[in-house]
Amino acid sequence: MLRSVVDLAKLNPPQREAASHIGGPLLVLAGAGSGKTRVITYRIAHLLAGGIPPQAICAVTFTNKAAEEMRERVAHLVQNRTATRALTIGTFHALGLQILRSERKALGMPRGFAVYDQSDQMGVLREAMRSFRSMERDGERRFDVKAVLARISLAKNAFVAPDEYRPRNVADEYDAITQEVYPKYQEMLRSCAAFDFDDLIVEPVRLLARDAEVGRRWAEKFRFVMVDEFQDTNRAQLRLVEQLVANHKNLVVVGDDDQSIYSWRGADPTNILKFDTLFPGARTVKLEQNYRSTKTILSAANEVIANNTQRHGKTLWSNVGGGEAIVHAVAQTAEDEAKWIAREIDRLNKDGRAWSDIAVMYRSNIQAKVLEDELRQLGVPYVMYGGQQFFERKEVKDVIAYLRVALNPRDELALRRVINYPARGIGATTIDRIATAATARHATLWEGLRGAVSGTGTLPGMGLGSSLREEDDPNPERTVDVGDLRGAARNGILELVHVVSELGSALESGTDAVAATRTLIEDIRLYDDLRAASSSATAAQRRIDNVEGLLGSLGRFAEKQKGREALSEYLRRLSLETSSDDDKDDGKKVVLTTLHGAKGLEFPVCFMIGLEEELLPHLRTLQPQATDVNDVDHATDISEERRLCYVGITRAQKKLYLTRACTRIMRGSARPRVPSRFLLEIPDDLLEVRDLGEEARQKVPTDEVRNFFANLALDD
DNA sequence: AACTTGTCAATTTTT
DNA sequence: TTGACAAGTT
């Protein structure tokens, strides 16, 4: 039973005004720590209590984590699992995927279509650039794949089709490369039956605009739409939202222009700055009361951000007490800086502060290295946000690639990954020959492989590819004759085609996904290979455990949804998942994160390190490089760096440390450092300066030394 | 097919 | 100075 009333009295007046808003467009300008998630969750609960069916409510976020948190908090408010489950709460990409999946026939995509994540995209693009590079261009120069990918991504999100792409300026060689490679890239994606991340937004927008019936259906589906972190939306995401609310304009967006830190990724701050122009008649509510930080910390944040023009303009205030001064610590070197921070963290912990109450934030990942060394030295437990993730591990990706090929034989990227793994005698020459022959006949690589071994030598009971429905395999009759293959290669291909087809038909006939995968693992003797390739027995076991972890995760998913479709969906969702939500071991540890990664988080104690010119603001903002995607005006815009600084400061609840070094070794040689201009924007009376000259050099007893003295004491 | 060597560059990366 | 990547070597 739904609660008929939600207690909006727990909200402050502007929060309540936003949460009880019913019809029409509303912009909620929510400062850091002002309870924006609260407003959204209360509004959803309020709508449900008012009798709105959960199916008619949609809330969009940027991260899976934010989406989960939102769903949990709504569930807590309404105490109704069924209603909560029926809500649409998810990321933009998950929403796009939902649309593509239900409309896939209109798009001519097979059931097992793939979603390519960034590393897949880079794989495709590297391949596209290889063929292009060998043809022409100055010698054999190497080009930065990421720089090209960033350009393609921006173009896609601006709805620039591959053949419409034009270099913005002739001097930009990366624009020229992009013009040539973008069409090839897109062609390869489609031939693999794959969408990339950008397609997940852009393709639904195109479809909804092109097909009136589909467009109408989706515009009617949700009667109330909410968007979180609206300052981070790009043009395509805005278009999608516009289409969803085209009929009724019941749109509530929540965001903070001062926390817009992703414009380099295509986020368009005008979406939030010009919201009332985009949605005429929009109301605006400002949330300026901060429940997170002390007055001292908030003053510093306000002072820094006030140096930006082009803002909606908010001033955060707080009821929390004045609090301690912000420590501005100056070290001689980056090593001293890290040493001091590690010791300070250790001291805080000894004084009763939990490790997980403490975060260290930095502008670029490279800064974490020294710090890790020092923390390890002192035995301080820590987690790094954004490190290598579970599903990125090679052995896990290998198994996933087999599953992908079985579900979608057109997925050439996955096929190439497993074609000769574990080694089965299919060398580069063989692959090239078959690929060339296949391309010449407009066949896929998979068809080429099947054709190469069809006819003679079929092993008993093999049924090559028989499980694949016509839809997935549009030309089942087509064979590719590549002449005679050497014995080893031929046997290898037979084995590959066999194991993949077996896996495909097992999944088709409804065999449990985990069981089918286990059979595959045995067929390819994966664990033998892992044992042989690992340097030690423990290393091998760890990798085997990783594969077992994948099976566990798959099993949990397959319990909720069953069959081949479920597996396809599982794999697609896997691409949308960054940090595996399976390893929730981040409790009780100090958090190390980039400033970008810290957005949306809060900690009682925060260290912002490396507050120096060329780190924050970053050198790349001061001196743009050839690979940079944005125009010079945008690239040299210091205000985004300032917002980054603002985001960092506002993460701190009670105590903030700002640290810097006077010299730092960069690219091999020591260089003098200048304090960050943002540091100078904070009034002196909020800061307590600490010169770490002597302090940092003090000898720190290592564990060994400490134990030595401890033992002496015992012996006494 | 695993090692070795040379070259080039050096942010941020919610999905 | 480190690392990633790709081509060359055993």
Side-chain angles (χ1 to χ4, degrees), chain A residues 82 107 158 512:
Chain A
T82 321
L107 291 156
D512 168 42

Side-chain angles (χ1 to χ4, degrees), chain A residues 19-187:
Chain A
S20 57
H21 173 86
I22 299 289
L26 169 71
L27 166 64
V28 181
L29 286 169
S34 64
K36 67 185 170 73
T37 310
R38 217 155 182 246
V39 164
I40 298 182
T41 51
Y42 269 80
R43 179 164 190 259
I44 294 172
H46 183 64
L47 290 171
L48 289 172
I52 306 292
Q55 294 80 3
I57 299 172
C58 173
V60 191
T61 63
F62 273 85
T63 67
N64 294 304
K65 197 176 159 203
E68 277 163 40
E69 188 192 329
M70 201 172 280
R71 196 184 291 277
E72 269 166 36
R73 286 172 65 171
V74 172
H76 182 73
L77 282 178
V78 302
Q79 298 287 323
N80 180 321
R81 286 278 153 196
T82 321
T84 311
R85 260 196 293 268
L87 292 164
T88 298
I89 300 181
T91 63
F92 268 104
H93 294 84
L95 178 64
L97 177 60
Q98 192 195 323
I99 297 174
L100 291 177
R101 196 187 43 176
S102 50
E103 310 295 340
R104 110 186 132 69
K105 282 185 183 144
L107 291 156
M109 290 295 261
R111 287 180 301 162
F113 74 85
V115 169
Y116 277 9
D117 67 15
Q118 195 192 314
S119 73
D120 297 325
Q121 293 182 57
M122 297 215 348
V124 172
L125 195 56
R126 207 170 283 135
E127 193 60 37
M129 283 171 72
R130 199 193 311 280
S131 56
F132 146 84
R133 184 174 45 178
S134 55
M135 273 157 52
E136 42 195 317
R137 289 267 155 208
D138 25 6
E140 291 282 283
R141 243 196 83 190
R142 267 198 331 223
F143 295 101
D144 186 343
V145 181
K146 274 195 179 152
V148 180
L149 195 59
R151 279 169 174 74
I152 293 177
S153 175
L154 287 183
K156 279 195 174 187
N157 282 299
F159 299 101
V160 176
D163 58 333
E164 292 167 359
Y165 186 92
R166 294 292 174 271
R168 290 157 307 173
N169 83 62
V170 218
D172 190 330
E173 60 175 346
Y174 275 92
D175 280 9
I177 298 166
T178 304
Q179 185 176 13
E180 294 196 51
V181 171
Y182 178 17
K184 174 92 182 159
Y185 168 81
Q186 195 63 15
E187 197 182 294

Side-chain angles (χ1 to χ4, degrees), chain A residues 522-541:
Chain A
E522 283 159 24
D523 282 354
I524 62 174
R525 292 175 295 280
L526 179 67
Y527 291 169
D528 290 343
D529 185 83
L530 289 180
R531 283 188 204 99
S534 301
S535 50
S536 69
T538 39
Q541 194 53 48

Side-chain angles (χ1 to χ4, degrees), chain A residues 416-449:
Chain A
R416 281 178 179 270
R417 189 184 174 100
V418 299
I419 197 164
N420 196 36
Y421 179 82
R424 50 170 76 92
I426 310 175
T429 326
T430 310
I431 299 172
D432 274 355
R433 262 170 74 195
I434 295 173
T436 310
T439 311
R441 274 156 241 249
H442 304 288
T444 63
L445 179 59
W446 171 251
E447 289 162 348
L449 290 168

